[in-house]
Amino acid sequence: MKKLRGSVKGLVVMLVITLCGVLTGCSGEDKEVLRIYNAGEYIDESLIGKFEKENNCKVVYSTFDSNESMYTMLNSGEKYDILVPSDYMIERLIKEEYLKKIDWSKITIKDTLLEDVMDKEYDPGNKYSVPYYWGNVGILYNKKTVDKKDLKDGWELLNNKKYKGKLYMYNSERDSFMIALKALGYSMNTDSKKELDKAYDWLVKQNKKMKPVYAGDEVIDNMISGNKEIAIVYSGDGALIISENPELDFYVPKQGTNVWVDAMVLTKDCKNDDLAYKFMNFILEKENALINTEYIGYSSSVKSVYEEMQKTTYKGIDAYVVDDSNKKNEVFRYQSTETKKYMSELWTKVIAQ
């Protein structure tokens, strides 16, 4: 999923728009309102103003810092029209009946979407979701200081003593356990406590041996500045970082990785389906999708935009191209409450080492 940046900024946007557009209306007139809940820095906000102007409406736009915090807000009774969650969370929202089915007759851009992002296991037939962006997780490394021969070790590169103290790991239990499970040859969607225990041991040993920095979105600026030699990053962040610092490159281990899709969904509380569909079409129209993709750095679900970015802004940058040909790659699935709780308990102990 998209790495989440600028949540405070997003909340400010939410408050400004709410006060201006919902309570009184900046222009003094009543307007239709669309409530969107998205990941931080996951849109070029100039497009929100453009959509409002074209549709004479107000957008209440707010951001979340994780799929889990988004779910907590939704579960607490907060009302939204459009959400932009990741695959495994969409699966959960479907199972718990939070969503409306998509009326694909109202999605005018359907034929422009990549086949690669459609009909995934979390939502067969895309009955509930319209793909927004997609990507994978890989290793960002400095081409001058990291021996390319070491890449053959895949995820075990993260245990190479040559790079002790010189790497960032995501402060994310889901992503970190994915890496350990893949390094050990297991599925990242396992419910086996035995396999999770082995992944836990792998992460503990790595922590003690390598002294990684567990970080969040600060990885982006730090890697652009060259503060570490290796970092685990989402592909879109990798593309953005490499475009700013060409001394870096991106590698996806042969042991497999997470290939994710973030998508737009309609909640059952959506008050204006027609306006919501207008937004979905608007944000995926080629002109707007190009603007958006250039801003956030992630791989567009729109085929023409995905291809054009490979020839222009992100030309020669491997991180932008999502290679899903490896059969060991997986999409995160919704895990049982028991598994999530157990993994969370283990992760707390990992970072406490």
Side-chain angles (χ1 to χ4, degrees):
M1 75 167 250
K2 165 72 174 67
K3 253 334 202 192
L4 311 169
R5 294 173 281 150
S7 295
V8 173
K9 177 183 176 184
L11 290 172
V12 171
V13 171
M14 175 191 71
L15 291 172
V16 170
I17 295 176
T18 299
L19 291 172
C20 187
V22 176
L23 298 180
T24 60
C26 292
S27 62
E29 60 181 287
D30 292 332
K31 293 183 177 182
E32 290 183 306
V33 175
L34 186 66
R35 305 162 299 175
I36 302 173
Y37 202 21
N38 194 3
E41 294 269 347
Y42 212 7
I43 193 172
D44 183 326
E45 290 173 6
S46 69
L47 292 172
I48 296 174
K50 182 181 178 184
F51 177 78
E52 289 176 319
K53 185 176 181 180
E54 289 184 5
N55 293 277
N56 190 32
C57 68
K58 294 306 299 182
V59 173
V60 180
Y61 185 82
S62 53
T63 63
F64 53 82
D65 59 7
S66 71
N67 281 279
E68 287 68 30
S69 63
M70 179 275 299
Y71 176 83
T72 298
M73 291 295 287
L74 188 65
N75 193 43
S76 71
E78 290 294 321
K79 307 296 183 185
Y80 309 98
D81 300 310
I82 294 175
L83 306 174
V84 191
S86 299
D87 33 47
Y88 71 94
M89 184 55 69
I90 293 172
E91 184 175 6
R92 179 177 188 176
L93 295 175
I94 292 170
K95 288 182 177 180
E96 297 184 12
E97 299 185 345
Y98 277 101
L99 306 181
K100 289 182 180 180
K101 286 188 176 180
I102 298 294
D103 182 352
W104 280 95
S105 69
K106 295 183 178 180
I107 304 295
T108 58
I109 49 75
K110 179 180 180 180
D111 293 339
T112 71
L113 299 177
L114 286 160
E115 289 184 11
D116 305 76
V117 300
M118 302 293 285
D119 197 30
K120 297 295 186 180
E121 290 178 325
Y122 67 90
D123 181 18
N126 290 89
K127 294 179 181 178
Y128 294 90
S129 62
V130 179
Y132 185 56
Y133 283 91
W134 66 311
N136 56 21
V137 178
I139 299 172
L140 187 72
Y141 67 96
N142 189 309
K143 293 183 288 187
K144 292 186 177 181
T145 58
V146 175
D147 189 338
K148 203 163 187 177
K149 292 179 182 178
D150 293 335
L151 297 178
K152 72 180 186 304
D153 296 328
W155 294 119
E156 288 298 335
L157 172 69
L158 307 176
N159 278 316
N160 191 320
K161 283 188 176 180
K162 285 195 288 186
Y163 310 110
K164 179 179 178 179
K166 300 176 181 179
L167 65 102
Y168 289 109
M169 291 284 287
Y170 270 142
N171 189 5
S172 161
E173 64 191 63
R174 184 175 283 269
D175 295 313
S176 294
F177 268 89
M178 179 278 290
I179 290 168
L181 288 164
K182 285 298 183 186
L184 294 166
Y186 300 134
S187 168
M188 67 188 197
N189 290 308
T190 185
D191 284 316
S192 166
K193 284 191 174 183
K194 182 178 179 180
E195 292 178 355
L196 290 172
D197 286 342
K198 289 184 178 180
Y200 164 75
D201 290 339
W202 190 97
L203 289 166
V204 168
K205 290 176 183 176
Q206 190 228 11
N207 189 356
K208 292 179 177 179
K209 178 180 178 180
M210 299 298 292
K211 302 298 181 184
V213 173
Y214 295 96
D217 300 325
E218 61 268 29
V219 164
I220 297 170
D221 290 338
N222 276 293
M223 288 304 289
I224 289 173
S225 300
N227 292 342
K228 298 286 184 185
E229 296 179 11
I230 296 172
I232 301 303
V233 298
Y234 286 88
S235 53
D237 287 340
L240 180 64
I241 293 166
I242 294 169
S243 70
E244 297 288 334
N245 184 351
E247 290 185 356
L248 304 175
D249 207 347
F250 185 78
Y251 174 71
V252 179
K254 296 292 191 293
Q255 296 107 312
T257 190
N258 165 220
V259 175
W260 52 265
V261 179
D262 293 343
M264 295 178 285
V265 298
L266 290 179
T267 72
K268 283 199 169 180
D269 293 318
C270 183
K271 292 182 177 180
N272 192 329
D273 290 10
D274 288 339
L275 188 59
Y277 284 124
K278 285 181 181 178
F279 180 82
M280 290 178 176
N281 288 315
F282 168 87
I283 205 67
L284 294 177
E285 287 173 1
K286 184 176 181 180
E287 177 185 346
N288 299 324
L290 279 169
I291 293 170
N292 210 28
T293 303
E294 185 121 29
Y295 175 77
I296 68 172
Y298 277 77
S299 301
S300 178
S301 62
V302 180
K303 186 173 186 293
S304 60
V305 175
Y306 179 61
E307 293 173 347
E308 186 168 329
M309 285 288 107
Q310 294 178 48
K311 299 174 183 177
T312 55
T313 305
Y314 299 108
K315 184 177 181 180
I317 297 178
D318 291 341
Y320 185 79
V321 183
V322 185
D323 182 3
D324 194 19
S325 61
N326 188 345
K327 293 182 179 180
K328 294 181 180 179
N329 290 344
E330 295 180 84
V331 172
F332 274 126
R333 303 297 304 276
Y334 172 58
Q335 293 174 302
S336 69
T337 301
E338 182 182 1
T339 296
K340 287 186 294 182
K341 182 180 178 182
Y342 188 62
M343 188 184 295
S344 182
E345 291 171 353
L346 294 176
W347 178 245
T348 299
K349 292 193 288 185
V350 169
I351 60 176
Q353 299 296 317

